[in-house]
Amino acid sequence: MPNEADVSPSALAPLRQPMFRMLWLAWLAANITMWMNDVASAWLMTSLTSSAFMVAMVQTASTLPVFVLGLPSGALADIVDRRKYFAATQLWVATVAVLLSGLAFSGLLTAELLLALTFANGIGLALRWPVFAAIIPDVVPRHDLPAALALNGVAMNMSRVIGPIVAGALLASAGSPWVFLLNAVLAIFAFVLILRWRPEPKTSSLPGERFLAAMRLGLQHVVQSPPMRAVLARIFLFFLQSTSLTALLPLVARDVHGGGAGTYTTLLAAMGCGAIFAALNLARLRQRLEREAFVRWGTLAHAACAVIVVLVPTLWVAVPAMFVAGMAWIATANSLTVAAQMGLPNWVRARGMSIYQMALMGGSAAGAALWGYVANLTSVTVSILVASVVGPAVLLLTRRHVTIGAHDEDLTPAKPVTRVPPPAIEIQPGEGPVMVTVEYLIDPARAAEFSAVMQETRRARLRQGAQSWGLFRDTTRPERYIEYFLDENWVEHQRRLERFTAADLGLRERRLAFHVGPEAPQMRRYVAEDVDARAGSAETR
């Protein structure tokens, strides 16, 4: 059965939180600008070039920065002032919109320049998304988190409806320069809303993490988390398949359905309406289906709808198919996003979600380029048909090896139970590395069970920031085991103690259940000695 945390009492409950409501409005405005920019750029590209590859590359240029800059932006969002960082990224997006508008009004915009500025706009999106993803769990209760994430999907898909409709109307009546100008106005509005946000200050007394170390640890945390690895694989494969429809939709509207900008925006708006409808009803559906079922059926339904859109050149059939495709898209994406959020503790949330977004946008960028290339070699219809077969086939082939769990670990921050004695020597924050050893006495008959739990312990220690880990068995006393792990320096050792969660405490209890000694396992801490410095000091005396 689905986890109870996935069931919210109301799909709109998070909007009762003033802080979430304000940030949600800012997110809605920001995404309207994104969709208006994408629609205007994609349609403008069809008039600047006849290459299907260049048209599809508009989406690649928009999403590739998220793949390239995802981890650095997530690290920054975890270690700097999130309010200022969020505002700065929104200001960047507004500046790009102003530049696009000016070049479009002056008639100086070329296909290559349009791609370059679309890439620049994508940089703003890459920097903005991780910090917003990290903010949401801080402003809503845990039981409202799935509904809050669904509302973010509603904002995204309302913008998918509003943005294309407004952009299409302006494209038809005034031209693309006015779309880019309106983008700038909305981006500035979102910027002002973000400045009104007043987050709670961080309570840690330790100095901030270093940028490169923060990136390393974020990547290490995800690598050592089986649930996150499963989510990353699923989101990459889904967007690799599903992007074929959205990336080539301008050409589907023009070549398959014989329409223009109005047909394109109608199809895109239908998909957005379907996504909104599904998002408002996800809470009830979660009571019946687990996340893996959402992903499986959502992938199959999206592929089937894409086939209908390109094989039936009738708009009255294509619009309902796009509506259902939008439902399938949000059901799949929301289930995977909830799984990612529930699988990350707060201290590494922005980095973890940035890596998630890298996988999502990496699949999107690769899919747009791949299916655009296939369309150039064959046709738009053939390209989308191939994508619609490949995506579900890969899902079915990997269903036994990559699954999204229905139960979440409790990642609520918790204080370590073990009392660590204060050091008897003076230790500087940068001194290290620091080695910790723990001695266990284990019944040899339960050695295999103990090893399995210690493998989980290894992943947990590394997720918390340890640089290395090992388990050794005494050659003269088979019941005696020594666990060791290494922290980069003394301050990183202290920081790791702040990263304990309720799940870590539960794992500790499972480890201690194997210990048969009369006293608790002995823990000792060692700091590396700088032998060369000591020797040099002795020689000078």
Side-chain angles (χ1 to χ4, degrees):
M1 291 296 293
N3 193 311
E4 291 181 2
D6 282 358
V7 181
S8 177
S10 168
L12 301 178
L15 290 175
R16 298 175 191 142
Q17 304 286 334
M19 192 66 66
F20 176 80
R21 187 167 59 246
M22 184 179 66
L23 290 172
W24 185 82
L25 288 172
W27 188 242
L28 174 62
N31 281 295
I32 288 175
T33 67
M34 179 187 73
W35 280 106
M36 289 177 64
N37 184 83
D38 285 355
V39 169
S41 298
W43 191 253
L44 180 60
M45 186 63 79
T46 63
S47 65
L48 295 176
T49 178
S50 59
S51 170
F53 178 73
M54 287 293 286
V55 173
M57 282 298 291
V58 170
Q59 184 158 341
T60 298
S62 177
T63 56
L64 186 60
V66 180
F67 180 75
V68 175
L69 299 175
L71 185 55
S73 64
L76 285 172
D78 272 333
I79 65 178
V80 303
D81 186 308
R82 287 177 175 171
R83 173 176 169 271
K84 293 179 181 178
Y85 182 66
F86 196 10
T89 61
Q90 190 59 36
L91 189 60
W92 172 279
V93 171
T95 302
V96 173
V98 170
L99 185 57
L100 267 170
S101 176
L103 290 172
F105 272 116
S106 64
L108 299 177
L109 205 56
T110 63
E112 292 76 16
L113 192 55
L114 177 60
L115 275 184
L117 288 173
T118 301
F119 185 83
N121 186 67
I123 291 175
L125 303 181
L127 298 177
R128 182 179 67 193
W129 194 89
V131 66
F132 183 77
I135 289 167
I136 297 307
D138 289 338
V139 296
V140 298
R142 178 181 172 86
H143 63 82
D144 277 341
L145 181 57
L149 296 177
L151 283 171
N152 290 346
V154 169
M156 174 68 76
N157 287 284
M158 283 180 65
S159 66
R160 189 193 290 265
V161 176
I162 297 170
I165 289 175
V166 174
L170 285 175
L171 285 172
S173 61
S176 55
W178 294 96
V179 179
F180 297 130
L181 183 60
L182 181 57
N183 276 352
V185 173
L186 289 174
I188 292 171
F189 169 72
F191 172 73
V192 172
L193 286 178
I194 293 167
L195 288 180
R196 295 180 60 193
W197 170 47
R198 292 293 185 272
E200 293 290 333
K202 293 183 178 181
T203 58
S204 175
S205 60
L206 298 174
E209 294 181 69
R210 293 174 298 173
F211 178 61
L212 293 179
M215 286 198 297
R216 174 192 64 79
L217 183 53
L219 184 60
Q220 179 176 307
H221 184 93
V222 169
V223 168
Q224 296 299 331
S225 172
M228 280 300 297
R229 293 202 304 268
V231 169
L232 295 180
R234 280 286 181 250
I235 198 68
F236 178 85
L237 292 173
F238 176 68
F239 272 82
L240 183 70
Q241 166 223 323
S242 63
T243 297
S244 63
L245 182 60
T246 52
L248 296 172
L249 196 59
L251 300 177
V252 171
R254 188 187 69 184
D255 300 341
V256 177
H257 294 277
T263 301
Y264 171 50
T265 54
T266 298
L267 292 173
L268 202 58
M271 188 174 186
C273 287
I276 293 172
F277 176 79
L280 294 175
N281 290 278
L282 282 177
R284 284 181 292 178
L285 292 174
R286 287 192 193 99
Q287 299 177 48
R288 304 177 184 177
L289 295 175
E290 294 184 350
R291 290 180 201 149
E292 181 65 22
F294 267 112
V295 174
R296 182 170 61 252
W297 290 110
T299 301
L300 294 172
H302 189 281
C305 291
V307 170
I308 293 172
V309 169
V310 297
L311 287 185
V312 183
T314 303
L315 199 60
W316 297 111
V317 175
V319 167
M322 290 296 292
F323 185 89
V324 177
M327 293 177 62
W329 181 86
I330 194 64
T332 305
N334 179 261
S335 297
L336 292 169
T337 302
V338 169
Q341 287 277 19
M342 294 295 190
L344 290 166
N346 189 56
W347 64 269
V348 76
R349 191 178 303 280
R351 280 164 282 185
M353 292 307 294
S354 71
I355 295 171
Y356 170 84
Q357 188 73 353
M358 286 172 64
L360 185 157
M361 290 300 187
S364 182
L370 173 62
W371 305 122
Y373 179 72
V374 173
N376 257 357
L377 294 179
T378 55
S379 68
V380 171
T381 298
V382 170
S383 180
I384 292 177
L385 290 177
V386 172
S388 299
V389 172
V390 169
V394 173
L395 175 67
L396 293 173
L397 289 172
T398 60
R399 69 186 185 280
R400 294 184 179 179
H401 306 287
V402 182
T403 57
I404 309 303
H407 302 286
D408 302 304
E409 290 186 319
D410 185 357
L411 299 179
T412 305
K415 293 183 178 180
V417 176
T418 305
R419 293 185 177 275
V420 181
I425 58 174
E426 183 179 352
I427 306 175
Q428 298 301 317
E431 282 192 63
V434 175
M435 182 175 71
V436 180
T437 65
V438 187
E439 180 181 327
Y440 304 92
L441 296 177
I442 306 299
D443 181 355
R446 303 186 67 192
E449 298 174 66
F450 179 68
S451 294
V453 172
M454 293 308 289
Q455 281 302 311
E456 294 183 48
T457 300
R458 171 185 176 275
R459 289 192 293 266
R461 304 285 197 204
L462 294 175
R463 285 198 302 269
Q464 292 163 359
Q467 290 187 313
S468 62
W469 179 95
L471 182 66
F472 293 84
R473 191 173 189 179
D474 195 324
T475 59
T476 60
R477 296 179 60 191
E479 76 279 7
R480 184 170 179 263
Y481 287 80
I482 299 292
E483 175 198 9
Y484 93 91
F485 49 95
L486 211 63
D487 292 323
E488 182 180 5
N489 51 44
W490 185 250
V491 72
E492 287 300 320
H493 174 68
Q494 299 299 312
R495 205 188 310 279
R496 187 176 55 76
L497 297 177
E498 291 187 345
R499 294 168 179 161
F500 268 78
T501 65
D504 293 322
L505 292 180
L507 180 58
R508 176 182 181 275
E509 292 302 318
R510 291 168 58 197
R511 284 196 304 271
L512 294 183
F514 289 94
H515 182 68
V516 296
E519 298 179 353
Q522 293 295 311
M523 174 184 287
R524 294 180 176 84
R525 299 185 295 175
Y526 305 86
V527 63
E529 183 79 356
D530 191 342
V531 178
D532 292 336
R534 294 284 188 186
S537 176
E539 290 175 1
T540 58
R541 288 199 295 268

